[in-house]
């Protein structure tokens, strides 16, 4: 072993004693492009990186992607680590947290876009809408046409067709002979159809 190389995790010291993992040393070596050192760093931090990621994004699959992105970022930017500003793990977890929060925000934005798109492009139930509009217009036409009837015709028609009463019941309620009630209803219908332009 090269005695000038700092002892790192999993690598025995020159005296043969097992070295204590030192994330700072691993970070410094990774910053110089030492892939073996980064592999050891990876093994030392991967579990904690994933743990933080899954706590933030709450989805194991998403957390795995955040973990990969974070470790790649750590490899690329290891030279920016400054031991005087904090511990290696604090620096690492700051990167992980930022990546995880970005992933959550991105997912929320995508969800909002999907919701907006579906609400704006949802197929309108044209048949139901048209039927409702048609029924509303027809009801207005009938109401307007009813005003063209005489008072006695309107009373008889409203009882028979809107009230649901039989001709006999209409006659009783209006104190009329049944024949007279029927005549008023028939005359009212004829006038109503004429007013609405419906063929008899």
């Amino acid at each position: 072993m090269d005695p000038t190389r700092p002892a790192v995790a999993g690598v025995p010291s020159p005296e043969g004693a097992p070295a204590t993992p030192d994330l700072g040393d691993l970070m410094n070596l990774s910053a110089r492009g030492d892939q073996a050192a980064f592999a050891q760093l990876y093994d030392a931090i991967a579990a904690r990186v994933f743990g933080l990621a899954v706590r933030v994004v709450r989805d194991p699959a998403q957390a795995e992607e955040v973990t990969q992105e974070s470790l790649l970022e750590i490899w690329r930017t290891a030279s920016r680590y400054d031991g005087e500003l904090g511990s290696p793990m604090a620096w690492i977890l700051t990167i992980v947290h930022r990546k995880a929060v970005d992933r959550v925000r991105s997912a929320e934005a995508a969800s909002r876009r999907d919701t907006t798109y579906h609400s704006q492009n949802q197929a309108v139930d044209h048949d139901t809408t048209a039927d409702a509009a048609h029924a509303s217009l027809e009801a207005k036409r009938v109401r307007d046409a009813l005003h063209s009837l005489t008072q006695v015709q309107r009373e008889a028609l409203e009882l028979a067709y809107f009230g649901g009463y039989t001709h006999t019941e209409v006659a009783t309620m209006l104190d009329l002979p049944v024949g007279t009630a029927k005549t008023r209803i028939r005359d009212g219908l004829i006038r109503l159809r004429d007013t609405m332009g419906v063929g008899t």
Side-chain angles (χ1 to χ4, degrees), residues 28-184:
N28 291 330
L29 291 170
S30 296
R32 294 200 291 268
D34 189 327
Q35 295 183 13
F38 183 74
Q40 294 177 64
L41 179 66
Y42 181 103
D43 291 339
I45 67 174
R48 289 190 64 180
V49 167
F50 177 78
L52 175 58
V54 80
R55 282 197 301 274
V56 176
V57 301
R58 301 185 179 280
D59 177 354
Q62 295 283 329
E64 287 178 3
E65 292 185 13
V66 169
T67 297
Q68 292 174 5
E69 292 174 3
S70 299
L71 290 167
L72 182 59
E73 179 79 5
I74 291 163
W75 167 250
R76 289 174 174 171
T77 63
S79 60
R80 297 179 189 171
Y81 167 67
D82 185 347
E84 294 183 0
L85 299 179
S87 70
M89 187 55 72
W91 185 82
I92 289 166
L93 294 182
T94 297
I95 291 175
V96 178
H97 187 265
R98 186 180 69 246
K99 291 282 187 185
V101 169
D102 287 347
R103 177 60 63 100
V104 170
R105 288 174 177 165
S106 176
E108 289 176 347
S111 177
R112 285 194 298 272
R113 284 195 300 272
D114 288 344
T115 300
T116 301
Y117 175 83
H118 288 304
S119 64
Q120 291 177 346
N121 295 278
Q122 186 175 13
V124 177
D125 191 346
H126 293 289
D127 291 340
T128 301
T129 304
D131 288 347
H134 182 70
S136 177
L137 288 172
E138 282 301 305
K140 185 178 185 306
R141 286 183 65 204
V142 171
R143 285 194 301 271
D144 291 344
L146 279 171
H147 290 300
S148 71
L149 304 180
T150 65
Q151 178 67 29
V152 293
Q153 288 173 338
R154 185 163 59 251
E155 282 180 342
L157 271 182
E158 287 178 344
L159 288 171
Y161 289 95
F162 297 107
Y165 296 106
T166 65
H167 290 176
T168 302
E169 290 171 333
V170 171
T172 300
M173 296 172 74
L174 296 178
D175 194 20
L176 297 170
V178 175
T180 302
K182 287 182 178 180
T183 299
R184 289 184 181 180

